Amino acid sequence: MEAHRIRVLEPPEGIPATNMPVLVPLLDRNTATTGTMTIATGLLVVLGAVLAISGGHGIAVPTALLVFMTPSSLYLGYSALAGSSPMRKLTHKPFRLVSGLDGALVAGSRVSVPLDGRWLVVRFPVPLRTQLAAQRRLWVLGRFVVLPGVVVPRRGAFRDKPVKGSVPFAAEPASPGRILAAQRRLLSAYYFVSVVMLLVMSAFGFWATADHPRRDGVVVKGAWFFGYGCAVGALGLAIAAVVLLRKLPEPRWTELAVVSGPASVNFFGMVTVKGRTVLPDGREVTVQAGGSDPSLAANIAATGRLWVLGVPAAGKAAKAGVPGHAVFGPVRFGR
């Protein structure tokens, strides 16, 4: 039985990508979500322009709408057109396994892989790049790439030449602790970027409070709460970002067997899975996974295994992942 055990979620070889758990619902939901948000942010851009032209609303509110919503609408529109929707059209084809990565090159975050006489160039964040350097395996579908254990595809581009300044992408062993540390540093960096954005939004909120001509209007009260809310959120994220930068010892993993149904994708695009497991103390409890990393829940459903950092306890949340893979997220145990 051990020889036939599924150790990590990977695309099915030789059969259509639609058979990969969660992938198609996730792509469909991402396309619907980005499309809806593109329309919503576009309407807010129009609202900002109308308020600026009509006057009587101050400068801060229309400026904030135009400054924040214009790039957001453009980015979301690009994501909808170049991301999930194009890959969804390829899912009737099988993934192709590329092993060894002979001749692969790297320049910063961009890895150039020789493929069929051309170069497939993909941008990988540090955790995925560390995993790839250690495992030397990836799966290709058109110009999209996934790594073992990771359900979210990365979009690449085919080029006639590798990225300028590239050097050989050498094999480099990586412990689970090293990949986990890289994952925590990346999450911390995202938090710090969010802190800056929240502080800017907070400043706009306070500016709108002072700038709006109707001092007793609902806009002023809403802007005041918005400004303070963003400031408090920035403080909380800053503390969390600093905590994630703490150096941890090599993690101790607790492996648990989980009986669950298939992972599902909810309205917000989060991949979740619910099941039951037996804790090391012999207590049978419910377990639920789902959060910032959709790959965690997908791996639990596909493998029937849950890897928890430290010793899990009933009624508490814990951090979990897949050792040696860039998968990391929260789980919660019932009582």
Side-chain angles (χ1 to χ4, degrees):
M1 293 294 293
E2 185 69 18
H4 297 286
R5 172 180 164 186
I6 301 175
R7 298 184 178 277
V8 69
L9 173 67
E10 295 197 59
E13 190 169 8
I15 58 178
T18 52
N19 289 274
M20 183 176 180
V22 177
L23 178 63
V24 171
L26 181 62
L27 293 175
D28 290 343
R29 171 46 54 189
N30 286 344
T31 299
T33 300
T34 52
T36 302
M37 293 181 67
T38 299
I39 296 173
T41 51
L43 291 175
L44 289 175
V45 171
V46 174
L47 176 62
V50 170
L51 293 178
I53 294 172
S54 62
H57 301 278
I59 300 174
V61 173
T63 301
L65 290 174
L66 292 172
V67 167
F68 286 111
M69 295 300 110
T70 300
S72 297
S73 180
L74 293 174
Y75 173 77
L76 290 167
Y78 174 77
S79 298
L81 293 174
S84 300
S85 182
M87 185 175 178
R88 179 65 176 86
K89 298 175 181 178
L90 298 173
T91 53
H92 65 284
K93 300 179 180 179
F95 276 94
R96 173 182 175 183
L97 176 62
V98 179
S99 299
L101 300 187
D102 296 333
L105 305 172
V106 62
S109 62
R110 291 177 292 180
V111 177
S112 302
V113 179
L115 197 64
D116 300 331
R118 293 189 294 173
W119 294 88
L120 177 59
V121 179
V122 188
R123 189 182 297 273
F124 290 107
V126 174
L128 291 179
R129 204 161 63 247
T130 303
Q131 176 184 329
L132 184 61
Q135 295 181 347
R136 316 296 290 179
R137 304 172 70 244
L138 53 79
W139 296 84
V140 178
L141 182 61
R143 59 191 177 98
F144 296 92
V145 172
V146 296
L147 269 59
V150 181
V151 72
V152 179
R154 309 289 302 182
R155 183 179 64 249
F158 282 101
R159 299 184 179 181
D160 294 329
K161 297 180 180 179
V163 177
K164 186 177 180 180
S166 295
V167 297
F169 185 51
E172 187 175 358
S175 67
R178 181 182 170 191
I179 296 179
L180 178 60
Q183 193 84 347
R184 287 168 61 89
R185 287 195 301 271
L186 179 65
L187 187 58
S188 177
Y190 288 157
Y191 281 3
F192 278 124
V193 171
S194 299
V195 166
V196 174
M197 294 177 62
L198 284 173
L199 289 176
V200 173
M201 293 167 66
S202 177
F204 268 105
F206 290 131
W207 182 22
T209 301
D211 173 72
H212 201 275
R214 298 180 183 177
R215 307 303 305 161
D216 58 346
V218 67
V219 173
V220 172
K221 295 179 181 179
W224 187 85
F225 282 110
F226 179 80
Y228 273 106
C230 288
V232 172
L235 177 61
L237 280 179
I239 294 173
V242 172
V243 171
L244 285 171
L245 290 177
R246 291 185 307 169
K247 187 175 181 180
L248 300 177
E250 188 68 22
R252 296 179 58 186
W253 298 91
T254 299
E255 182 183 8
L256 302 174
V258 176
V259 178
S260 72
S264 60
V265 183
N266 65 17
F267 179 79
F268 301 100
M270 294 177 59
V271 180
T272 59
V273 66
K274 297 179 181 180
R276 301 192 66 84
T277 188
V278 178
L279 298 179
D281 61 6
R283 187 172 181 177
E284 182 177 343
V285 296
T286 59
V287 60
Q288 178 174 340
S292 56
D293 190 346
S295 299
L296 176 62
N299 273 276
I300 295 171
T303 65
R305 290 292 186 273
L306 167 63
W307 294 86
V308 180
L309 288 170
V311 180
K316 294 186 177 181
K319 297 297 183 181
V322 179
H325 298 75
V327 179
F328 181 60
V331 296
R332 176 168 288 280
F333 297 96
R335 293 188 178 278

